[in-house]
Structure formats: structure tokens, C-alpha cells
Amino acid sequence: MKKKLSFLSVIFSAGLLLVACGGSEDSSGSEGSSTEGGGNELGLLEEGKFTTAASGLYKPFNYEEGGKQTGFDIEIGAALAEEMGLEHNPVTNPFETIIQGLIGKKYDAVIGSMAITDERAKTVAFSDPYYLSGGKIWVAEGNTEIKEPSDLEGKKIGIVAQTTYEPAAKEFTDDIEYYNSDVVALQELEPGRVDAVITADVVGFEAQKAGLKIKDIGENLWIEEAAIAVRPEDKALLEEINKALDAIIENGTYAEISEKWFGTNLLEVETEGIEVLR
């Protein structure tokens, strides 16, 4: 089933987005393994382990539950690791510094709902997209003042710093409240600590399902492509990640994970005629 998103004709200039990682899963598969014969051809930080980072604060993509990381991003990371014959080793890092941590070799890759942007691509290398989503404006359920984007003029907007939502918010106001979690930002709407939050459509919908009294004010602002980030020099690793991603899409594993978390395939979003944020 395709999930069709509708979008405003005005697309905001590119910025940044991001989020998380979690839950580990061991794999004994040998096909495609970088450790076959004792080598480490992929340049992994720890031989036999695929260490991935996410913020751990971006439910339902990556978050902690029962002392373990879980969510869509985490399960995708585990599936990719298994396909490559590696053990998945998820870790967390604040989204604001997650690229710095990658370049500083704290982990092998970022699988944390990071959108592809031209600015980020100057620093990291991106895989093929592993899901699509749209940016959306959220307000408290009882809010009657904000009905369209222009109503955000001068209002207090909550966002996570260093995301694609930051430049969008700055189009409307200088009164911006920064959070380390989109979910926490959304929780600030009902008590009125912020007037609006800009974040992903699926994040807001999941918060609504969890009982948060919020609503969206209409069409998505844009569509963006989330991808896996690696260091630019790790070309062999990037190639293997793309091969593994193709494999889990082809064998149905990707669709199974996406349906589990969202009830739809996040790669089957209608994009024809829609401008993609970069």
C-alpha cells in the first residue's frame, strides 16, 4: 500500500535533520562478512562489529525501552548487520554532535533518521535512502490561532537543533526553543511552553497515537530522504551497506520492519512532482 503525502508548494531552504540508534542483535552469517579470513576490509572500528549511532530520543525511530535501544532505525541497523555477516553494536550520541562523533571515529555509521542535505554531504558520505518522510507543523489540540504556516510569524517554535526543521523555523520567527528530543518538544505544546513544533509527520502521528493532545495544521512542508552516513573515506563500507540495503528490500525484510512500526512501507511514498529537501 502506498502512503501518499501532500505538500505545500513552498519548499523551505535546506538545513539539517537527525535522530538515533539502539537495540543490538548478533549475527553469525558469513556471506559478505568483512571479517572472513580474519581481515577487516571494511575498516570497521572493531572487527566483526557494525557500530551504529543514533540519538536514542526519536521515537518511534530510535529510543530506549526496558534498558535497550529499539525502534525502526535500530531494527534496520540490525538487519543490515546480519546481511553483512556482522554483529550489530548500536550506541547513542546527541544528534547535535552525531556527525562530529562519526568523523572522530566513535562509530562506523549513523543510522539515526539523518536526512540527506547538500551541506551534510560536504562532510559525510550517504547511502541510498532508507526511508522518506515529510516535515509538518504541530500545535496543541486546542490551539485556534495557528491554522496555516503564515500564522507562525513571531510565535515560539520548538525544534531539535541541527535538524532540517531549524532553518524552516527561522523563516517564521527568532523565538526558537531548542530540545534534544522531538517527542519532548511535542509534549511542551499542551502546557503552552511553545506555540508550535516542526518535526516529521510520522513522529507526530505516533505521538498522537500515544495519547498526546496535538494536531497538525495541514499539508507537509516538504519531503526528505533519510540515509545512512559514513566517513567519506569508507567507500568499501558504503558499498556493502548499499548492497545489504538492496538485499533486505528485495527479500522483504525491509517491508516487514516498516509495516511493523508504521503500518506502511516508508519507501513507497509518492514523490512524483514533489520537491525533495536537500
Side-chain angles (χ1 to χ4, degrees):
M1 177 183 72
K2 284 195 175 184
K3 176 184 176 185
K4 185 170 182 177
L5 301 178
S6 52
F7 299 84
L8 296 178
S9 58
V10 179
I11 305 297
F12 295 104
S13 57
L16 285 91
L17 141 22
L18 240 83
V19 257
C21 132
S24 64
E25 177 175 324
D26 292 343
S27 169
S28 58
S30 59
E31 285 192 332
S33 172
S34 67
T35 62
E36 191 173 21
N40 188 4
E41 292 84 358
L42 300 185
L44 300 170
L45 297 182
E46 188 173 353
E47 187 172 342
K49 287 188 177 182
F50 183 41
T51 303
T52 66
S55 71
L57 300 171
Y58 197 54
K59 191 174 183 178
F61 289 95
N62 52 83
Y63 64 102
E64 184 176 307
E65 185 173 82
K68 295 179 62 177
Q69 288 295 313
T70 189
F72 175 77
D73 288 333
I74 307 310
E75 292 198 12
I76 290 296
L80 293 174
E82 181 175 4
E83 188 65 33
M84 293 189 289
L86 300 169
E87 176 186 350
H88 187 216
N89 179 36
V91 299
T92 59
N93 192 92
F95 193 78
E96 298 89 329
T97 59
I98 205 164
I99 287 180
Q100 293 95 312
L102 176 65
I103 299 304
K105 297 189 175 182
K106 291 175 63 178
Y107 25 83
D108 299 308
V110 173
I111 307 182
S113 293
M114 179 179 286
I116 300 171
T117 69
D118 293 337
E119 188 64 29
R120 286 174 179 156
K122 296 175 183 177
T123 307
V124 303
F126 283 111
S127 71
D128 297 332
Y130 72 99
Y131 78 82
L132 310 178
S133 71
K136 189 177 280 292
I137 298 168
W138 297 88
V139 299
E141 197 174 76
N143 188 307
T144 58
E145 294 183 6
I146 302 174
K147 299 177 180 178
E148 56 186 42
S150 61
D151 295 332
L152 291 179
E153 194 71 35
K155 295 292 195 293
K156 179 177 283 190
I157 301 176
I159 54 149
V160 172
Q162 299 300 306
T163 66
T164 44
Y165 313 124
E166 185 172 6
K170 289 179 177 178
E171 291 284 325
F172 300 109
T173 185
D174 294 326
D175 192 0
I176 297 175
E177 191 73 24
Y178 291 98
Y179 297 90
N180 64 2
S181 165
D182 297 77
V183 176
V184 172
L186 290 168
Q187 291 170 344
E188 300 282 78
L189 288 171
E190 191 175 0
R193 285 187 277 270
V194 293
D195 298 306
V197 170
I198 303 177
T199 188
D201 47 8
V202 288
V203 172
F205 292 139
E206 288 299 312
Q208 280 182 318
K209 285 164 58 178
L212 209 57
K213 295 181 178 180
I214 60 175
K215 63 182 180 181
D216 66 276
I217 63 166
E219 297 179 326
N220 289 54
L221 300 175
W222 61 73
I223 190 169
E224 53 196 3
E225 302 169 316
I228 299 157
V230 301
R231 289 175 289 277
E233 64 270 23
D234 290 341
K235 293 180 174 59
L237 176 60
L238 183 61
E239 183 178 351
E240 288 304 308
I241 288 172
N242 279 329
K243 287 180 181 178
L245 181 58
D246 286 344
I248 67 170
I249 292 171
E250 181 67 25
N251 66 26
T253 301
Y254 177 91
E256 183 179 339
I257 295 171
S258 186
E259 289 283 347
K260 169 186 173 180
W261 287 99
F262 305 107
T264 190
N265 189 323
L266 292 188
L267 279 175
E268 293 186 347
V269 173
E270 183 62 57
T271 60
E272 186 176 353
I274 299 170
E275 190 170 352
V276 176
L277 181 68
R278 281 292 180 93

